[in-house]
Amino acid sequence: MDFKEGEILYFNKPLKWTSFALVAKVRYHISRRLGVKKIKVGHAGTLDPLATGVMVVCTGKATKRIEEFQYHTKEYIATLRLGATTPSFDLEKEIDATYPVSHITREKVEAVLKTFLGRIEQVPPMFSACKIDGKRAYDLARSGKEVELKPKTLVIDEIDLLEYDLPVIKIRVVCSKGTYIRALARDIGQALHSGAHLIALQRTRVGDIDLGQCMEVDDFEEWLSKQEIQESVNE
């Protein structure tokens, strides 16, 4: 393998890890294996710490392909709790409001999900990496400042109800770059005249890359030790 010329690796990001932490771990092991101080390593598409699943990591000159991977269609399995909201739209923050769910039926959920198919406008979450005047929205939100984000256009190709066990539902979403599943959970809750937040999220596919092709981070060091490394990298 030639990590300087560029390799593309697929990982299953663990729960509670940041995307940055995964990249740092991969960079550390590659640098150590090659005997170099540093090497370019980057990821294509951030996953929140509370999300798991497919993470594409590029090394060396392959980091030029990151944008290409970011534009690939992505598939998620999302678990939502209806009838309650949080400021972060997931479990990062405590529940701040509760709503009735007795009027919600499986048929209503399925009908509402269909309304999100196709091109939609979505306001990103306050707790997101979107920039406002050069500052990350989540930094402003966490410091208690009001954050106003503009809607973004995105595409939902597929959305299906997988499980219905009120107040919890599980859905599958196939969507374009820039889709915030946390924001989708918020919008689904509102469309059901209730509230909702994300309690679990797994990215199951990026383009043609699925979970079955992904390596566990804990296995990477051992895997790397068994690879044949190109001499040109050892500078």
Side-chain angles (χ1 to χ4, degrees):
M1 302 197 88
D2 194 331
F3 290 103
K4 190 170 183 181
E5 275 303 305
E7 299 290 347
I8 298 163
L9 308 169
Y10 313 134
F11 290 93
N12 179 14
K13 189 192 82 65
L15 186 67
K16 296 186 179 178
W17 279 51
T18 64
S19 301
F20 177 81
L22 188 151
V23 167
K25 184 90 167 176
V26 171
R27 184 188 294 114
Y28 168 77
H29 285 305
I30 293 175
S31 298
R32 199 172 166 197
R33 175 78 166 84
L34 301 181
V36 297
K37 285 189 177 178
K38 64 177 184 178
I39 185 168
K40 262 189 178 180
V41 182
H43 67 79
T46 302
L47 275 175
D48 290 334
L50 295 177
T52 64
V54 180
M55 175 75 71
V56 178
V57 173
C58 302
T59 78
K61 293 178 183 177
T63 53
K64 293 175 182 176
R65 294 187 60 192
I66 283 175
E67 190 174 2
E68 171 196 329
F69 283 107
Q70 285 176 333
Y71 277 94
H72 286 183
T73 299
K74 298 173 181 70
E75 179 187 70
Y76 296 90
I77 302 296
T79 308
L80 285 60
R81 180 188 166 187
L82 304 179
T85 57
T86 74
S88 58
F89 310 151
D90 64 6
L91 294 174
E92 181 184 336
K93 295 292 182 181
E94 297 291 322
I95 289 170
D96 60 358
T98 57
Y99 303 85
V101 295
S102 57
H103 64 286
I104 299 173
T105 63
R106 186 185 190 103
E107 290 70 30
K108 278 186 180 176
V109 172
E110 289 176 335
V112 159
L113 292 182
K114 286 177 184 174
T115 67
F116 289 93
L117 275 170
R119 191 175 295 273
I120 64 168
E121 296 287 308
Q122 183 187 77
V123 178
M126 293 185 300
F127 289 81
S128 69
C130 292
K131 285 191 175 180
I132 302 170
D133 298 328
K135 294 182 179 179
R136 298 288 187 188
Y138 54 65
D139 289 331
L140 295 170
R142 284 169 186 147
S143 65
K145 294 180 181 175
E146 285 293 317
V147 177
E148 189 173 342
L149 293 163
K150 294 178 181 176
K152 293 187 175 182
T153 303
L154 51 95
V155 177
I156 305 288
D157 294 308
E158 299 174 44
I159 185 165
D160 306 307
L161 180 62
L162 300 179
E163 294 178 19
Y164 173 86
D165 185 14
L166 218 58
V168 175
I169 63 170
K170 185 180 283 190
I171 63 174
R172 183 183 74 93
V173 182
V174 178
C175 55
S176 67
K177 176 184 184 290
T179 305
Y180 283 94
I181 306 298
R182 286 180 289 134
L184 183 62
R186 168 203 63 198
D187 296 341
I188 289 169
Q190 290 175 352
L192 287 165
H193 304 292
S194 182
H197 66 280
L198 207 57
I199 59 173
L201 180 65
Q202 183 181 51
R203 185 158 67 196
T204 48
R205 186 167 56 81
V206 174
D208 295 327
I209 304 150
D210 62 27
L211 274 172
Q213 297 164 261
C214 293
M215 194 184 322
E216 299 299 327
V217 184
D218 288 345
D219 297 335
F220 180 61
E221 186 178 8
E222 184 182 352
W223 174 87
L224 188 60
S225 70
K226 296 174 181 175
Q227 302 308 305
E228 187 177 327
I229 304 297
Q230 295 287 340
E231 287 297 320
S232 61
V233 180
N234 296 313
E235 297 177 347

